[in-house]
Structure formats: C-alpha cells, structure tokens
Amino acid sequence: MDERDAALARELVEEAGGRQAAEQEARRQVSAALRALSWAQPTPDTYRQPHDIAWAMTCRES
C-alpha cells in the first residue's frame, strides 16, 4: 500500500465513522480498565502512571 492508497483508506474510514467509533470504544475500554484498577485501591502515584499513559494513548490527534 503506497501513501496515496493509505490516504484514501483514512478518508474512507473517516467518512464511514470508523475513527469516531474506534475513539469512543477506546475511551470506554480505558474507563473500564481504570475503574478496575481503582478497585485495587492503589496509591495515587501507582494509579497515576497507567492513567496518564492510557489517556495519552487514546486522546492523541491523528
């Protein structure tokens, strides 16, 4: 797949709502994982690191 094909694929996925659906599912999964982690009652520092990494990975642009 060359760059032109990749650009077309990105455009088609975007138009079909695929990106929005994937972002919504990622937020749902991260929220569920962080809820599960909080049930373990970690220290604030122990909780913060996976929290920050998860949101950085799912809330990025492009």
Side-chain angles (χ1 to χ4, degrees), residues 3-34:
E3 185 59 35
R4 194 166 145 186
D5 291 338
L8 176 58
R10 281 190 304 269
E11 182 179 326
L12 292 172
V13 168
E14 184 77 32
E15 286 177 13
R19 180 177 174 164
Q20 182 179 1
E23 289 172 347
Q24 183 177 12
E25 179 63 13
R27 286 190 299 271
R28 189 182 76 74
Q29 292 288 335
V30 167
S31 293
L34 293 174

Side-chain angles (χ1 to χ4, degrees), residues 35-48:
R35 270 193 312 279
L37 177 60
S38 71
W39 293 335
Q41 299 178 336
T43 65
D45 287 340
T46 302
Y47 180 83
R48 188 175 305 112

Side-chain angles (χ1 to χ4, degrees), residues 42-57:
T43 65
D45 287 340
T46 302
Y47 180 83
R48 188 175 305 112
Q49 186 175 11
H51 172 274
D52 292 350
I53 292 169
W55 287 116
M57 295 298 295

